Amino acid sequence: MRRVLGMLPLLVLAWALEASPTPSLELRITASLSFHLFPQAVVAERLPEPQGLVVVYRYSQAEAIFRYHDEDLRRRGWVRVKYEAKKDEWKAEYKKGKAKAKLSVKDKKGRVEVRLKEGD
């Protein structure tokens, strides 16, 4: 009987962990555009913008973050129609039906600023 009572707090904790929802790594911008956070980096800031979002990561590989978000958008049906790469900056534009989106990634010395915006 003592063993069962001793295990009770562990069972309650396991149940609570199972029942609690896991935090979502997806941020919804508009009905057709959502943003999956880059799983390997720490999010320093999340700032809403009109029809968009800015996420600042603490990470040193900005191009890897751009590739992740680019592949994520294309996997969800967005078609890349424009691409531009400069030193420490990547930009792309996408279409999905009549909807348009812009992705911009800037390396700011250990901080990577990602801006995703729907529309022109």
Side-chain angles (χ1 to χ4, degrees):
M1 184 67 174
R2 280 188 164 169
R3 282 187 172 168
V4 172
L5 290 176
M7 296 283 290
L8 188 59
L10 294 174
L11 293 172
V12 169
L13 178 61
W15 175 79
L17 289 174
E18 181 73 25
S20 67
T22 58
S24 176
L25 296 176
E26 180 182 30
L27 303 173
R28 175 95 19 217
I29 296 171
T30 63
S32 62
L33 184 62
S34 62
F35 187 88
H36 286 112
L37 295 173
F38 185 69
Q40 288 88 19
V42 174
V43 175
E45 295 179 62
R46 286 191 302 206
L47 306 167
E49 286 190 334
Q51 299 162 334
L53 177 72
V54 175
V55 175
V56 179
Y57 296 103
R58 279 191 227 128
Y59 202 67
S60 61
Q61 298 175 2
E63 187 175 5
I65 291 177
F66 173 80
R67 283 193 316 264
Y68 173 81
H69 290 301
D70 177 64
E71 290 171 6
D72 179 51
L73 288 167
R74 290 191 289 152
R75 182 175 42 252
R76 289 186 282 125
W78 289 88
V79 176
R80 185 170 67 190
V81 294
K82 188 175 181 183
Y83 171 75
E84 181 181 345
K86 297 180 182 176
K87 185 180 184 212
D88 299 333
E89 186 175 359
W90 295 262
K91 292 182 179 180
E93 294 181 13
Y94 304 87
K95 283 188 175 183
K96 186 177 185 182
K98 293 182 179 181
K100 295 179 182 179
K102 293 181 181 181
L103 173 65
S104 170
V105 177
K106 295 180 184 177
D107 188 357
K108 297 190 172 187
K109 308 298 179 212
R111 291 172 60 94
V112 178
E113 180 183 281
V114 178
R115 179 171 274 118
L116 184 62
K117 188 174 183 178
E118 187 172 43
D120 291 326

